[in-house]
Amino acid sequence: MSNFISGEGFEKTFRFGRMILEGTGVTVLLALFTVIIGFILGILLAIMRMSDVRPLRFLGQDRQGRPRNNRLLVAISRFNPLSVIATTYVEVIRSTPVLVQIMIIYHGIFSYLIDLPSITILGFIRLNRFVPGVVALGINSGAYLCEIIRSGIQSIDGGQTEAARSLGLNKTQTMYSIILPQAIKNILPAIANEFVVIIKESSITYTIGVQELMSVVNDVRGSFFIIMEPLLVATVIYFCLCFPTSKLIAYFERRMSRGDKR
Amino acid sequence: MTSDKLIQVKNLKKHYNKGTIKALDDVSIDIHSGEVIVVIGPSGSGKSTFLRSLNLMEQPTDGQIIFDGVDITKKKAPGPDGKLKKVNIDLHRQKMGMVFQHFNLFPHKTILQNMILAPMKVKGISKDAATNKAMELLRRVGLEDRHSAYPIQLSGGQKQRVAIVRALAMEPEVMLFDEPTSALDPEMVGEVLAVMKELAKEGMTMVVVTHEMGFAREVGSRVVFMDEGKILEQGTPEEIFTSPKHPRLKDFLSKVL
């Protein structure tokens, strides 16, 4: 423990080279699956939040279909269960720490309710740790992506919908041909940011024993009592993952903004 | 002008805030094929709401809009054969072209893509046929060389001309214009009005909400004056502009002419 950072320390760290590679692989896979789950969940939640499902709609109207004057009945008739569920979900997830969510998913759901077999895939992915990690991160980022997608869709000028509908396009066609392409272009920077956040946030799953990059850092520390060298190696790897990701999305962003420039 | 009624509006009402605000207050009018109806009136008079109700961009509170024999305000209505059928508003909107104050071209699509989207998606016309039709329409408004440009590269007047032919590409039975020149620089108003005049000459049924009194006088076959959600007076441009009867119309004309 003589030097702060030493060549010897790096040499020791790289003795774990194979594990570092595997850990990086796990980090990438964690982020990839999280993004997929988060995106599907985010779209579903956004659709739920913007839906117009009102099962008690009839309470707000009289027999002739005119709006009633009773305020309570009108308020009840506006009740949209899908939107309430989605909004509650988003607010709970956004108002609690991701660490707590991961712990609850791992120790609560996956220890008591769902029993995963202790299989190891590709020789380094432990299923009973990896799956809870992915599920927890996916549940978390789904809430954030929902808000990103919703704000993107709602930022499109209502005139676009009107123009499309006036041409005879139905709601679904309008959504897919007119609104979503513009919305996705607008939210691409926010989504890129969320992707990068997911790669970085995946490091927190080492607390439930997912053998990703940070847990390898911990292994090196435990074996050789060095910390700065493995941390620096991890820093470089995280940077090499995140920086190109944001650059790649910036490239697509430029390509998609052709219609914006004179 | 034929006397066949293309659109019948009966007792149309649009209320906000539980009826305290009446944007449309019992409006009834028959629109015949080939007519050019110009709706004038002060702002807030309900003329835009009236126009936007015709293709249900605005859902009326009460009343009927009978288009091609079908009451499109109802969920179900008897068709021409008398059988009760579900009203598919998308089918009726195909036959009603609409032009907006702010053009509402699709910014992520080129001019040509803007024009062929609905014919291909809605009518199922082949890309070649839709493209041919679109290019022919663009030629008519002198914009065929801009077909691969994006809307932002066009001037306001060019955008509005594209918006008009985009609606025409669906071969509508009636064209609705919602203040089509209000967002334009003054020197671009003429080119848009010229296209509309041309269209009127060809016999297109048109409902135009506008502040262009010159256009109303020259092109309109009937001028409708609205205020406070009601039609207060209607008649030929001659009657409306040279011998107005209603005091509100006289007052309005004295301010705008």
Side-chain angles (χ1 to χ4, degrees):
Chain A
M1 291 296 282
S2 51
N3 289 336
F4 176 53
I5 295 169
S6 69
E8 192 194 356
F10 281 111
E11 187 262 321
K12 281 175 180 163
T13 304
F14 286 122
R15 282 189 216 161
F16 276 72
R18 192 188 154 79
M19 279 180 73
I20 292 173
L21 274 183
E22 287 172 356
T24 309
V26 173
T27 292
V28 169
L29 287 174
L30 261 179
L32 211 62
F33 282 110
T34 301
V35 162
I36 294 168
I37 294 177
F39 210 73
I40 294 171
L41 205 58
I43 288 175
L44 271 174
L45 287 166
I47 291 172
M48 282 168 75
R49 280 200 79 160
M50 293 185 302
S51 69
D52 192 29
V53 181
R54 285 178 290 159
L56 304 175
R57 190 191 299 253
F58 65 91
L59 284 177
Q61 295 174 344
D62 61 15
R63 288 244 168 86
Q64 278 80 44
R66 294 197 186 89
R68 276 184 210 268
N69 277 329
N70 187 322
R71 280 190 184 187
L72 182 68
L73 282 179
V74 170
I76 295 175
S77 75
R78 294 219 181 97
F79 172 69
N80 177 343
L82 289 184
S83 173
V84 168
I85 291 169
T87 309
T88 311
Y89 176 96
V90 168
E91 294 307 337
V92 168
I93 294 294
R94 291 205 303 180
S95 311
T96 51
V98 62
L99 186 59
V100 174
Q101 292 161 13
I102 286 176
M103 292 291 184
I104 287 178
I105 298 287
Y106 177 67
H107 293 295
I109 313 279
F110 279 95
S111 300
Y112 291 101
L113 300 180
I114 304 166
D115 199 18
L116 287 171
S118 11
I119 305 171
T120 306
I121 299 169
L122 299 174
F124 60 92
I125 301 171
R126 286 156 70 192
L127 205 68
N128 57 355
R129 305 293 170 104
F130 185 79
V131 171
V134 163
V135 169
L137 286 177
I139 282 176
N140 179 272
S141 79
Y144 288 93
L145 283 166
C146 162
E147 288 305 277
I148 293 172
I149 293 167
R150 188 176 66 98
S151 69
I153 290 174
Q154 289 178 343
S155 72
I156 303 301
D157 175 33
Q160 292 288 307
T161 307
E162 288 189 350
R165 297 302 302 274
S166 82
L167 288 165
L169 271 72
N170 62 31
K171 265 189 187 174
T172 320
Q173 290 168 328
T174 302
M175 192 45 109
Y176 281 101
S177 305
I178 307 302
I179 306 302
L180 278 183
Q182 296 184 56
I184 287 172
K185 192 187 81 191
N186 287 355
I187 62 179
L188 223 48
I191 289 183
N193 191 41
E194 179 64 17
F195 283 2
V196 169
V197 166
I198 288 169
I199 294 175
K200 292 185 288 183
E201 225 166 49
S202 70
S203 64
I204 210 166
T205 57
Y206 94 93
T207 53
I208 60 166
V210 180
Q211 286 175 315
E212 45 70 71
L213 197 51
M214 263 316 279
S215 84
V216 180
V217 169
N218 250 4
D219 290 346
V220 176
R221 180 191 188 183
S223 304
F224 300 114
F225 305 107
I226 51 173
I227 182 65
M228 278 315 288
E229 291 87 346
L231 275 178
L232 285 175
V233 170
T235 303
V236 169
I237 293 175
Y238 276 122
F239 182 82
C240 290
L241 290 178
C242 293
F243 187 68
T245 305
S246 51
K247 285 292 149 205
L248 190 72
I249 296 181
Y251 167 73
F252 282 115
E253 204 190 317
R254 273 197 305 279
R255 268 192 50 173
M256 285 176 81
S257 62
R258 277 173 306 188
D260 298 345
K261 296 200 181 71
R262 274 175 187 275
Chain B
M1 194 196 303
T2 60
S3 65
D4 116 67
K5 288 171 190 167
L6 186 59
I7 307 175
Q8 281 174 276
V9 179
K10 291 181 182 172
N11 308 102
L12 199 64
K13 291 175 190 145
K14 174 77 182 178
H15 294 176
Y16 295 103
N17 278 349
K18 296 173 193 157
T20 51
I21 299 165
K22 293 176 178 168
L24 289 178
D25 191 5
D26 213 355
V27 171
S28 300
I29 188 170
D30 290 342
I31 299 165
H32 304 92
S33 288
E35 265 193 303
V36 178
I37 295 190
V38 182
V39 186
I40 59 171
S43 54
S45 60
K47 52 193 192 314
S48 268
T49 311
F50 164 71
L51 188 83
R52 291 159 53 77
S53 297
L54 291 180
N55 64 351
L56 297 198
M57 282 296 139
E58 235 34 274
Q59 190 71 41
T61 313
D62 201 6
Q64 292 176 291
I65 297 164
I66 297 158
F67 175 56
D68 273 346
V70 181
D71 182 356
I72 57 173
T73 61
K74 300 286 180 292
K75 286 203 176 98
K76 282 182 178 172
D81 54 351
K83 278 185 197 157
L84 209 60
K85 267 173 60 183
K86 213 176 161 197
V87 176
N88 183 353
I89 185 60
D90 297 325
L91 283 178
H92 297 287
R93 281 184 178 145
Q94 291 173 33
K95 298 185 235 159
M96 300 172 136
M98 191 166 205
V99 176
F100 302 85
Q101 183 177 355
H102 296 287
F103 330 128
N104 296 347
L105 295 180
F106 307 131
H108 60 303
K109 294 191 178 293
T110 63
I111 300 310
L112 186 61
Q113 287 167 345
N114 261 278
M115 293 191 59
I116 63 176
L117 176 83
M120 283 170 63
K121 290 238 178 222
V122 179
K123 284 189 158 178
I125 293 170
S126 77
K127 189 173 181 180
D128 285 345
T131 306
N132 284 340
K133 171 100 188 156
M135 290 305 287
E136 183 199 314
L137 284 164
L138 283 174
R139 209 166 295 133
R140 271 175 53 185
V141 293
L143 289 170
E144 73 267 35
D145 53 331
R146 306 308 309 272
H147 64 88
S148 58
Y150 283 91
I152 193 137
Q153 297 168 304
L154 268 52
S155 72
Q158 290 175 327
K159 279 185 206 165
Q160 196 60 301
R161 282 187 277 161
V162 170
I164 293 172
V165 287
R166 179 179 70 177
L168 287 177
M170 289 298 285
E171 300 179 327
E173 293 172 14
V174 55
M175 286 284 286
L176 312 175
F177 293 85
D178 190 3
E179 303 200 18
T181 57
S182 298
L184 295 175
D185 290 341
E187 75 265 32
M188 289 170 183
V189 170
E191 63 191 67
V192 171
L193 290 182
V195 172
M196 291 167 64
K197 257 178 232 173
E198 189 74 18
L199 204 54
K201 219 184 285 170
E202 287 165 18
M204 173 62 80
T205 313
M206 293 162 64
V207 185
V208 185
V209 170
T210 187
H211 295 292
E212 296 292 332
M213 296 302 146
F215 178 85
R217 184 175 276 187
E218 193 185 335
V219 186
S221 54
R222 182 151 47 124
V223 178
V224 172
F225 174 68
M226 285 185 74
D227 195 19
E228 291 174 349
K230 295 189 186 73
I231 294 179
L232 293 185
E233 191 166 340
Q234 54 177 306
T236 63
E238 187 70 17
E239 290 164 352
I240 293 288
F241 290 106
T242 51
S243 52
K245 291 175 191 74
H246 201 283
R248 284 291 297 128
L249 175 58
K250 284 180 190 165
D251 179 50
F252 175 73
L253 290 177
S254 72
K255 281 174 187 155
V256 296
L257 289 181

